[in-house]
Each structure stands twice: as structure tokens, then as C-alpha cells.
Amino acid sequence: MSPIPYWRLSSFYLFYFALLGSTAPFLALYFDHLGFSPARIGELVAIPMLMRCVAPNLWGWLGDRSGQRLLIVRLGALSTLAAFSLIFFAKSYAWLALVMALHAFFWHAVLPQFEVITLAHLHGQTSRYSQVRLWGSIGFILAVVGLGRLFEWLSLDIYPLALVAIMAGIVVASLWVPNAQPVDQAEQRGVGGFLRQVRAPGVLAFYMCVALMQLSHGPYYTFLTLHLEHLGYSRGAIGLLWALGVVAEVLVFMVMSRIFARCSVRKVLLASFLLAALRWLLLGSLADIPAVLVFAQVLHAATFGCFHAAAIAFVQASFGARQQGQGQALYAALSGTGGALGALYSGYSWTLLGPHFTFGMASVAALAAAVIIAFRLKESRNHP
């Protein structure tokens, strides 16, 4: 068994999620800085998520068909950088919508294919995935804290430059990663084609819950920074609060192998959804109380960390090697669908109904996912 290229894989996750750490907390703030209304901000934030509904499936099919997953990762990273650089030419709503759509089409091609490459390098040691993936969380923390401080000193006008620098890091990291192909174990599992595997018991229910989870995150990723600013928190403090959530995520990634040794994927998913429902209620109603806000951010360990690790494990266990790319792509696509709908509804309801009601709807979505998991997803020998 060849050694795992730990640092090469980790460096890619570091830069990839540093980009997410630069967009999730600050993209809406940048659009607000440009003078757009909450509805327009919700639409612009939703566009990359809508592209996530389409792009991963196309690139996932191409990756499984050709086997050239690493080439797709490298071309996707380079095309993301080139497409986003168009933002320097204009700042109108139509032009920004084009930039958001174009760069996201390539950006969302990258991660599902890279997840397959990472899992192939791990040689079936799925529990070690979290040890590699935690560097993505560290990248998120570095970006959110660093940019939070930077924007206190300098204007938000430098925001696009920061994103371009991080995208360049993704390109360089992709060139450093060696290729790997998953071992085909389809015969051992007795699975058929991709559609047959999707129709296996519990798989469709799982993907429905993925969409609901991301739908529930809509107000969080779109308006949390603006929400906390309006409550009187400084941008530096907001950056630290975002980072706190991801620190909790890193810590849970470090112990996920122990969690999976004691709890099934189903139980981890169920707990994640229930804690998400609680978290959104707290952010919508009690975020003005610092202690409650800190507790709500610590719950990110469950609502993202545990959920994501369990979801990756579920997808890997549910699909054969030749369908891994499409399985990961469908996970990304349903996440994008839910995220886009979450950004859209929160954009329209934020001004009309307020943060309390908007986060309340997010809580209902997470609770609905918990009910589906409880009644439709059964324990399986294939899932840790």
C-alpha cells in the first residue's frame, strides 16, 4: 500500500476552503458595500449555488467516464481564476451575475472530483478523511479571521484582489497533488449502474435531507455577517465568531474516527439535523446575547463538521468506484439546490419578515430533515 500524500492533499483543502472562508462571511457584505438591496444580494449569492446544481453533475459524469479527475480539478481551478478576474472590468448587477455564474460553473467542478481522488489515496481508510479535510477548516479560519481584520483597516474595495490571490493558491496546490483512481469494488457490493444505486433504500431520502440541510443554512451564509453588524458587533469580532465555528469543526474532524467507532452514520446525521434546528433558533432570536451566540457558533461542529463527514462516508458506501464521481457530484448538486433556495428565500424574507422569522424557517427545514432521517434511513452494514 503506497503512503498517503497527506500534505499535498491537505494543501489543496487549505486553499479551497480558504476561498469559501472568504466568500461565505464577506460576499454579501461586499455586495452591500456596492449598494445592492437585500433582495439583489440574495440573488447574487444564490447564483453560484444554482450553478452548483448543474456543474457537479456534468463534471462528475465526465470524470467517471474519462477517469481524468485530476485534469478536471486543475482545469477547473485555472478556469475559476480566469472567470472571476472578470470582476475587475465592471460592477453592475448584470455583470456581477455573469461573473458569479461563470466562475462558479468551474469552481463547483473541482471539489467532488478531488474528494474521489482523496478517498482513493486513503485506500479505504475512510476514518482518515477527516484528518486531511480538517486543513480545509484551518484554511477557512485563516481567511475569515485575516480578512475580518483586514477589512477593519482597509476598504472592502480590495476584496476581489484577496479572492484572486486565494484562487491562485488553489491552482498551485492542484498542480502538486498526485493522481489516484478508486478501486472498483462494485462486484463485491452487488451494485448496478448509477441510477440503480441511487434508488437503493435510503439513498434518495439521504439526498433530500442534504438539500434541506443546505436550505436551512441559507440565512446563515447569506446574512449572518450583516445580522451581527446590525446587532452592534465589529467586523473583527464577526470574523472571530465565524472562525470559532470552524475551530469547533476542526476539533470534531479530529475525533470523527472515534465518533464513527461508537455511532452509525444515521445517528450522526440525525444529531446534526436536530442541533441545526436549535442553532438557527438561537441565531434568529438570541444572537444579541454574546454567550448564546458563542454557543450557537460552537454548534457548527455538528451542523457542518459531523454532517459533512457522515455525508461523505454515506456516499462512498452507497456507490461503486465507477460511480463515485457522480455520487459526490449529486451530493454537491443537491447541496447547491438547497443552498440556492435558502439564499433566495432569505433574501426576500429578510426585509419583509425579519431575521427571527427567516431563521425560524431554517430551523423548520432542519427539523424536517431529522424526521426524514429518523423514518426513512435504516442502519446498514455498508455504512460505518
Side-chain angles (χ1 to χ4, degrees):
M1 184 179 294
S2 58
I4 296 170
Y6 180 84
W7 291 111
R8 298 189 184 196
L9 296 172
S10 299
S11 67
F12 183 89
Y13 283 106
L14 179 80
F15 282 104
Y16 187 92
F17 285 95
L19 182 57
L20 184 60
S22 304
T23 53
F26 300 117
L27 189 60
L29 191 64
Y30 177 66
F31 292 144
D32 181 69
H33 172 73
L34 295 179
F36 292 106
S37 68
R40 300 291 83 77
I41 292 172
E43 291 164 2
L44 288 170
V45 171
I47 289 171
M49 298 180 185
L50 287 171
M51 295 308 298
R52 194 176 175 188
C53 306
V54 179
N57 288 317
L58 172 62
W59 295 109
W61 173 85
L62 185 61
D64 285 341
R65 189 72 178 241
S66 67
Q68 299 296 317
R69 294 187 177 91
L70 186 58
L71 178 61
I72 290 174
V73 168
R74 290 169 174 170
L75 291 177
L78 184 61
S79 299
T80 299
L81 173 61
F84 188 82
S85 297
L86 296 173
I87 199 172
F88 295 109
F89 290 93
K91 298 294 191 297
S92 69
Y93 175 82
W95 186 258
L96 289 173
L98 174 64
V99 171
M100 291 297 102
L102 192 58
H103 96 276
F105 178 76
F106 297 108
W107 187 32
H108 292 313
V110 170
L111 187 60
Q113 301 308 307
F114 195 80
E115 298 277 34
V116 176
I117 294 169
T118 297
L119 292 170
H121 276 297
L122 296 180
H123 311 294
Q125 303 173 68
T126 310
S127 61
R128 292 202 63 186
Y129 167 81
S130 297
Q131 298 171 13
V132 176
R133 172 58 180 79
L134 67 86
W135 284 96
S137 304
I138 292 171
F140 189 104
I141 293 169
L142 293 174
V144 76
V145 173
L147 290 180
R149 293 296 185 186
L150 187 65
F151 296 148
E152 284 191 335
W153 301 330
L154 302 173
S155 168
L156 274 164
D157 291 331
I158 67 164
Y159 180 65
L161 285 172
L163 294 190
V164 165
I166 295 171
M167 289 175 184
I170 297 174
V171 173
V172 173
S174 72
L175 299 175
W176 194 34
V177 174
N179 200 10
Q181 296 291 346
V183 177
D184 194 347
Q185 298 176 330
E187 292 80 4
Q188 299 176 15
R189 299 184 184 186
V191 296
F194 176 69
L195 292 179
R196 181 178 296 179
Q197 293 171 58
V198 169
R199 292 195 297 269
V203 175
L204 287 176
F206 162 76
Y207 279 116
M208 183 184 302
C209 292
V210 166
L212 285 170
M213 185 60 136
Q214 296 308 314
L215 173 69
S216 79
H217 277 73
Y220 177 73
Y221 283 125
T222 310
F223 289 112
L224 180 67
T225 299
L226 290 173
H227 180 45
L228 297 183
E229 269 203 336
H230 292 156
L231 291 176
Y233 294 94
S234 69
R235 289 178 181 174
I238 292 169
L240 290 174
L241 285 164
W242 277 91
L244 173 64
V246 187
V247 168
E249 172 191 316
V250 169
L251 294 177
V252 84
F253 275 141
M254 294 174 68
V255 298
M256 277 310 301
S257 59
R258 298 179 185 177
I259 293 174
F260 280 139
R262 292 169 173 79
C263 303
S264 66
V265 165
R266 177 180 177 272
K267 290 177 181 176
V268 173
L269 288 172
L270 182 59
S272 300
F273 291 127
L274 291 173
L275 290 172
L278 172 63
R279 186 185 185 196
W280 308 143
L281 287 178
L282 295 177
L283 287 178
S285 304
L286 301 171
D288 58 323
I289 303 174
V292 174
L293 179 57
V294 167
F295 175 69
Q297 286 303 89
V298 170
L299 288 178
H300 194 72
T303 63
F304 181 82
C306 289
F307 169 76
H308 181 68
I312 291 294
F314 183 93
V315 171
Q316 189 193 33
S318 299
F319 294 92
R322 295 184 61 135
Q323 291 80 30
Q324 282 288 313
Q326 293 174 80
Q328 296 290 351
L330 186 59
Y331 170 57
L334 268 296
S335 296
T337 301
L341 292 175
L344 285 173
Y345 96 75
S346 59
Y348 294 130
S349 70
W350 195 258
T351 301
L352 293 174
L353 303 172
H356 179 78
F357 187 86
T358 303
F359 274 109
M361 290 191 290
S363 182
V364 170
L367 191 59
V371 172
I372 293 171
I373 288 294
F375 289 99
R376 299 297 299 174
L377 192 66
K378 306 300 182 185
E379 302 288 359
S380 172
R381 290 180 301 173
N382 290 339
H383 302 144

